[in-house]
Amino acid sequence: MAEPVTIRLTNSRTRKKEVFEPLDPANVRLYLCGPTVYDRAHLGNARPVIVFDVLQRLLRHVYGENSVTYVRNFTDVDDKINAEARRRREAGAEGTLKELIRERTAETIRWYHDDMDALGAARPDHEPRATDYIPQMQAMIADLIGKGHAYEAEGHVLFDVRSYPAYGQLSGRSVDDMIAGARVEVAPFKRDPMDFVLWKPSSDEEPGWDSPWGRGRPGWHIECSAMSDALLMKDPEHDKSFDIHGGGIDLMFPHHENEIAQSCCANPDGKFARVWLHNEMLQVEGKKMSKSLGNFFTVRDLLDQGIPGEVIRYVFLMTHYRNPMDWTAEKVREAKHTLTKWYRQSGLSTSTQPYQPVVDALVDDLNTHEALAQCHALSNGGDFPALRGSLTFLGLMGDAIPGWARVPGFSDAETGVVRDILWQRSRARERQDYATADRLRDGLKKAGVIVRDVADGEPEFEKTPEFDVNVLDQVQADQ
RNA sequence: GGUGGGUUGGCGGAGAGGUUACGCACCGGAUUGCAAAUCCGUGAAGACCGGUUCGAUUCCGGUACCCACCUCCA
């Protein structure tokens, strides 16, 4: 039996780094709040996905491949989705609002999968959709009403925050402080300004389900309580608790606070999530990413610009998840440079065994930066099998070196032109006509082709982002 | 107003109360007809003010500045 590994995680609930002890080492259970599916995932959405992907890889490494249950939901009923569908209908899209919603959510889920796959994030074990768990949500709401934690008012069902004394504990706020600082208008039917919606009425054209409180739809928070209950807390032995719940730190309040209130009131004997993991936010060139600043972009935008998913992932891993992360062009350049080097070195091995210090780094509150530093050490030390195994472990490498790092992306015709120019250059060098040789080399450089002479054999060459086939043709024509 | 995070060398970014982080860039050298790549090496830090200590960038307190959240938000 191997030495038991001690994983430490910073638990937002206690604000301390704690030794992680699973409720059941044979089934470690994770829940990550997933996306509301109304549009492409922006770059910030990728952060918790990558953090949890690293976490689940680590847990599977420590507890066994099949000893982890990872759940990440899709929120497919939400006012933003309705608004997006209305916008499309007004723009001339065919179909009813409900049809447009169904199309949009299905399309967005496909995009989300494509984009997160590209970042090397493994699919969770379960990806429940909110609309598949309406009966469970209704049952939980009815239960909360029955226990005196929720009340009905004007077609809505509201959670009564005053009925749950621990409300605000996760985010370190008191109900009174929050009311004092509140800036929003409060619906008149709320008993307390902080009470939040569990169920709300739907118009005829909006998605809605029949319920004891009239036709309506769930509030945002109840889905996570209902789905984590259904998928992670079936086992009565473990007192209605599971191991780790996570998301962006902006979800801590109100979303996670409300989930705790709902779940702990519905299951007073359980602890709901024992460990809460929150990632800090993303910035772009030192500023918040926002549409108004013009620095807003999606994962797909970056992939379309030719930034490989592995490079994006590497940039995320450079920063510890609990620190604000700055996305910069400089980091992209550095990540690409480093990964290209590592991939070339890794090609010499097929190992899948990670270097123990890399594992040790992750064990300490997912210190991904330290893990990368250890990879640098392997690279510099020439331990390529351990490097390859570690890159695989970190999700930076699959079965093969990514195409972008391996093969220059030239078409056959372009390759022919480059080879022709290189042949002319080598002829010039043979006759010691270095002026011509240098002119050809500079011409290739100007066209965006980097040439590397090798000790024996054909020179290697690769494309840069500045590649211009017209300039290349000109260089050839000038001969 | 409330809550949380940050501030380290040119840039990015860690750990550790006393010993080189690391990467990128730069500089010097080797190698190369040139270029690229590679290798060797040097230098450079800890926002500010106090406190604890033999000794703090690392612990404690305060100040300043930046960011986020408190309203849908990863």
Side-chain angles (χ1 to χ4, degrees):
Chain A
M1 192 70 188
E3 186 77 9
V5 178
T6 304
I7 297 176
R8 290 189 171 79
L9 298 171
T10 299
N11 186 353
S12 306
R13 197 162 61 78
T14 57
R15 288 155 207 263
K16 288 188 185 121
K17 200 193 276 191
E18 300 173 345
V19 172
F20 174 68
E21 291 177 45
L23 292 160
D24 177 4
N27 184 19
V28 183
R29 289 158 289 163
L30 319 177
Y31 189 97
L32 175 66
C33 288
T36 300
V37 284
Y38 69 106
D39 202 357
R40 283 273 188 197
H42 67 248
L43 190 61
N45 295 125
R47 197 167 186 197
V49 173
I50 291 172
V51 170
F52 260 63
D53 185 62
V54 171
L55 175 64
Q56 63 96 17
R57 285 170 188 271
L58 174 67
L59 292 170
R60 287 183 205 280
H61 180 78
V62 171
Y63 294 101
E65 191 61 30
N66 299 314
S67 298
V68 174
T69 305
Y70 172 27
V71 177
R72 183 181 66 207
N73 66 294
F74 283 117
T75 300
D76 61 351
V77 50
D78 182 272
D79 289 349
K80 274 182 295 195
I81 299 172
N82 299 345
E84 175 64 24
R86 278 201 192 88
R87 194 192 61 70
R88 291 180 71 188
R89 190 176 58 182
E90 278 158 22
E94 298 279 323
T96 66
L97 195 64
K98 285 171 206 162
E99 286 164 352
L100 290 172
I101 287 169
R102 202 171 306 125
E103 279 171 26
R104 183 65 176 187
T105 55
E107 180 179 45
T108 308
I109 288 170
R110 275 198 305 278
W111 287 342
Y112 189 81
H113 278 148
D114 288 347
D115 296 347
M116 296 306 133
D117 289 352
L119 300 181
R123 301 266 179 103
D125 300 288
H126 301 283
E127 298 187 281
R129 300 183 191 195
T131 52
D132 289 334
Y133 287 81
I134 300 292
Q136 288 88 339
M137 294 187 221
Q138 291 183 347
M140 187 174 268
I141 293 167
D143 184 42
L144 288 169
I145 293 173
K147 286 175 173 158
H149 291 296
Y151 58 95
E152 201 180 343
E154 300 188 20
H156 294 68
V157 178
L158 293 142
F159 186 91
D160 179 3
V161 295
R162 297 286 180 181
S163 76
Y164 180 59
Y167 189 77
Q169 201 175 58
L170 176 71
S171 52
R173 301 150 202 256
S174 77
V175 173
D176 292 326
D177 285 349
M178 286 186 280
I179 292 168
R183 299 184 207 158
V184 282
E185 209 174 315
V186 177
F189 49 80
K190 288 188 179 180
R191 286 184 193 166
D192 186 285
M194 298 313 296
D195 287 353
F196 57 91
V197 170
L198 299 176
W199 190 263
K200 59 186 164 187
S202 290
S203 69
D204 288 343
E205 68 164 13
E206 288 171 336
W209 291 262
D210 291 329
S211 82
W213 321 287
R215 184 173 180 281
R217 60 192 191 281
W220 173 37
H221 316 292
I222 192 72
E223 63 175 84
C224 291
S225 287
M227 293 189 287
S228 59
D229 190 88
L231 293 165
L232 294 177
M233 301 196 284
K234 283 175 188 165
D235 183 353
E237 272 183 47
H238 295 109
D239 69 355
K240 289 286 184 182
S241 305
F242 63 94
D243 294 294
I244 303 173
H245 191 134
I249 197 163
D250 54 337
L251 290 184
M252 197 150 116
F253 186 89
H255 184 57
H256 290 330
E257 200 73 71
N258 293 353
E259 281 186 50
I260 291 173
Q262 294 159 353
S263 292
C264 289
C265 288
N267 300 307
D269 298 330
K271 296 190 186 68
F272 193 41
R274 306 216 309 169
V275 178
W276 287 83
L277 230 52
H278 289 104
N279 59 275
E280 254 293 341
M281 309 307 282
L282 176 93
Q283 294 175 27
V284 176
E285 305 286 353
K287 296 195 176 68
K288 180 186 177 174
M289 183 166 76
S290 73
K291 284 175 181 168
S292 58
L293 286 172
N295 62 358
F296 182 94
F297 43 80
T298 64
V299 174
R300 178 52 50 185
D301 289 335
L302 294 175
L303 294 170
D304 287 348
Q305 285 166 28
I307 300 174
E310 294 85 359
V311 169
I312 299 172
R313 186 178 177 99
Y314 184 103
V315 171
F316 275 97
L317 297 185
M318 282 171 80
T319 305
H320 186 92
Y321 74 95
R322 297 186 63 245
N323 286 150
M325 187 198 115
D326 198 12
W327 176 269
T328 64
E330 181 58 24
K331 284 185 180 175
V332 171
R333 195 196 60 74
E334 189 178 325
K336 194 165 188 175
H337 178 91
T338 302
L339 281 174
T340 303
K341 178 171 127 187
W342 286 356
Y343 288 144
R344 287 184 180 147
Q345 294 176 327
S346 295
L348 301 170
S349 170
T350 55
S351 172
T352 56
Q353 197 60 35
Y355 183 46
Q356 189 56 38
V358 170
V359 178
D360 291 343
L362 297 190
V363 150
D364 181 17
D365 201 23
L366 306 180
N367 191 342
T368 50
H369 191 94
E370 172 64 20
L372 293 179
Q374 292 297 337
C375 289
H376 278 296
L378 293 172
S379 169
N380 295 333
D383 190 348
F384 302 140
L387 177 62
R388 172 145 195 172
S390 299
L391 292 178
T392 304
F393 177 59
L394 290 169
L396 288 168
M397 189 167 182
D399 295 335
I401 296 170
W404 62 267
R406 188 181 63 230
V407 182
F410 290 95
S411 71
D412 290 351
E414 289 163 356
T415 304
V417 175
V418 174
R419 287 218 172 107
D420 179 55
I421 294 169
L422 287 173
W423 183 82
Q424 292 183 46
R425 173 168 169 258
S426 63
R427 294 290 83 71
R429 291 167 77 187
E430 278 171 13
R431 62 178 185 268
Q432 301 201 334
D433 178 3
Y434 294 125
T436 300
D438 290 355
R439 188 160 44 72
L440 288 164
R441 188 201 68 226
D442 293 342
L444 285 168
K445 189 176 180 185
K446 203 175 159 199
V449 179
I450 298 284
V451 178
R452 273 188 301 276
D453 291 332
V454 294
D456 44 31
E458 289 288 304
E460 293 176 2
F461 51 93
E462 67 182 83
K463 239 180 208 179
T464 70
E466 292 76 35
F467 179 73
D468 186 335
V469 72
N470 294 318
V471 175
L472 187 66
D473 287 343
Q474 195 59 47
V475 173
Q476 187 185 33
D478 284 347
Q479 285 311 298

